[in-house]
Amino acid sequence: GGSTLSLAIYDGTQLLPLTPPTSVAGYKPPLAVDAGGGVLLGNQAGGSNNVLMHRYDGVQWTPVGAPGESGIASVLALSSGSIALGRGFPSAINSEESSVLTFSGATWNAVGEASEVDVAAAQAMPGGDVIVGGSFSEIGGVPANNIARWDGSSWHALGQGVDQAVTALALAPDGSLLVGGDFFVAGGAPATRLARWNGSAWSTVGSGIQTFGLHSIAQNDAGEIVVLTAGGARVHYFDGQTWSTPSLPPGSPYEVLALPSGELLLLGLFTDPSQTPPVYGGGVRLSNGVGTFDSDFLGVLARTGRIAPNGDLLFATNINATNGVARVVGGVPQLLPIGAINGPVLALDFLPNGDLLVAGDFEQAGQQPVGKVFRWDGSTIDAVAGGAETGLIDVLAVSGKGEVFV
C-alpha cells in the first residue's frame, strides 16, 4: 500500500525485495498468476511511453506488450492459459481503445469496444468461459444487452440479455449464474433487478429485488439466497419460493458468504440490542429469514473472509485493540490462538501446504516482532525473514510454485 509501489517475494523461507518495473505505477496495481506459474503485473499508469503489462518468471520481468495507452484496472488468468485484462470503462485516455483484451502468449486480441462497453462485473465459469456484465448494447461487434459470454475466441449474447445495467454476478452451486443489477427485464420477460441464467435460458428469482444498489449475492446448496443492496432494507432473503426482508440486528453488512457447511453468513459490523449496554460484533447468521447476532464475533469487525483448504472460514478483524484472524470451527467462528496483533489485518492467503499468511499494518503478533507479514502453521508464528518493516501490506498473491508476492 501507499503512494510508492513496493513488491516482495516470499520463497518459503524469507521475504525478499522484488524491484518492480520502473514504468509501473498505481496505488494497488492488479496481480494475477498465469497457468505457467508466472506473475502478471498490470500498470495502472497509462501513457504512450509506458508498458502496460509485465510478467515475472521467477528470474526477471518481461514486458507483455499490451496495446493502447490507458492504464490496466484488472488482470484475470484464464484456465485456458490466456490472459484477460480490463481497462477503465470507457478507456480513460482513448475512448476508442478496447476495454477488454485477451493474450494467448503471442498476440493481443481486442475484446469489445471501449466506446460502447462499460463493464461492472465479471465471473469465470466452470468450463473456462468468462461472463461480463455492465452497461452496453454490443461488445466486439456482437449485439448483447448488458451481459455477454466470452469463450476464448468470440463473444456471445446471453439470449436477449437484460434491459439495463448489470452490477453483480455470482456462481450458484448448480453452475447457473445469478445476475443482479438495475434491470427490470431479463430474456424479454419481467425480472426485477435479479435473474438467473442456466446456460440457455433466463428465469426469474421469485419477485426479484425492489431496492437499488445490488452489490453482493450468495446462494447455498439448499437454494437460499441473500442479496445485499445499498438502498432500502439492504439485506434480502429468498427461501427458494419468496423474498422477504429478514429480521436482523442493527448494523452494516459488508459481505455475504455461503459457507461450505451450507450456512449463510453476513460479515460486517452489527450491534446486539438485547444487551445493556448494547455490544457490537462482526457476524450475523441467517436461518429461515431471521438473522441472529453471533456472539462468537463479539467485539470485532469482520472484513475480508477466506475459505481455508480444509473448508473452514477465516476472516480478518481490525477493530481498535482487537485485531486478529478468526476461524469457523465446527460451524462456530473462533479466534485463532495467534495472540494479539497490534494493528489491523488487511490480507490473508494460503501457501500450498495449507499454512496461513497474515499481512497488514502491524509490527507484533503474540508479543513477537513479525514486521508486516507472518506465517502461521496452526500452532506457531514464523516471522518472515527479511521482510517489510515499513509501510503496510494489503495484497497477497501466491503462485503455483508457492512464491508469495506482496
Side-chain angles (χ1 to χ4, degrees), residues 84-106:
L85 64 83
R87 307 181 192 273
F89 306 103
S91 182
I93 293 179
N94 184 347
S95 63
E96 298 303 316
E97 292 177 359
S98 177
S99 293
V100 186
L101 300 165
T102 61
F103 183 66
S104 64

Side-chain angles (χ1 to χ4, degrees), residues 185-209:
V185 176
T192 304
R193 295 192 175 92
L194 185 69
R196 187 187 302 274
W197 172 255
N198 69 1
S200 60
W202 289 95
S203 61
T204 59
V205 183
S207 59
I209 302 298

Side-chain angles (χ1 to χ4, degrees), residues 263-283:
E263 295 173 290
L264 292 166
L265 177 68
L266 293 175
L267 297 179
L269 183 62
F270 307 91
T271 59
D272 183 358
S274 68
Q275 302 294 319
T276 304
V279 296
Y280 71 89

Side-chain angles (χ1 to χ4, degrees), residues 178 194 196 203-210 219-226 236-245 264 288-289:
L178 289 169
L194 185 69
R196 187 187 302 274
S203 61
T204 59
V205 183
S207 59
I209 302 298
Q210 306 304 314
Q219 177 180 338
N220 64 12
D221 290 333
E224 295 175 304
I225 300 172
V226 170
H236 312 265
Y237 171 78
F238 186 67
D239 63 5
Q241 298 293 327
T242 59
W243 287 98
S244 63
T245 299
L264 292 166
N288 296 319

Side-chain angles (χ1 to χ4, degrees), residues 228-332:
L228 303 186
T229 61
R234 301 188 66 183
V235 182
H236 312 265
Y237 171 78
F238 186 67
D239 63 5
Q241 298 293 327
T242 59
W243 287 98
S244 63
T245 299
S247 173
L248 294 173
S252 299
Y254 297 156
E255 183 179 21
V256 57
L257 298 174
L259 303 178
S261 63
E263 295 173 290
L264 292 166
L265 177 68
L266 293 175
L267 297 179
L269 183 62
F270 307 91
T271 59
D272 183 358
S274 68
Q275 302 294 319
T276 304
V279 296
Y280 71 89
V284 167
R285 293 180 178 271
L286 278 173
S287 178
N288 296 319
V290 177
T292 303
F293 182 89
D294 193 329
S295 61
D296 291 294
F297 288 83
L298 186 64
V300 299
L301 164 68
R303 287 192 182 276
T304 260
R306 183 66 67 110
I307 302 298
N310 66 356
D312 288 348
L313 167 69
L314 275 67
F315 65 93
T317 67
N318 56 332
I319 291 292
N320 299 322
T322 309
N323 297 290
V325 181
R327 165 182 283 158
V328 176
V329 179
V332 179

Side-chain angles (χ1 to χ4, degrees), residues 158-186:
L158 273 62
Q160 297 181 48
V162 298
D163 67 325
Q164 295 190 48
V166 170
T167 59
L169 300 171
L171 187 65
D174 63 0
S176 64
L177 185 72
L178 289 169
V179 180
D182 301 325
F183 54 84
F184 296 93
V185 176

Side-chain angles (χ1 to χ4, degrees), residues 13 127 211 251 344 373:
T13 304
T211 54
V373 60

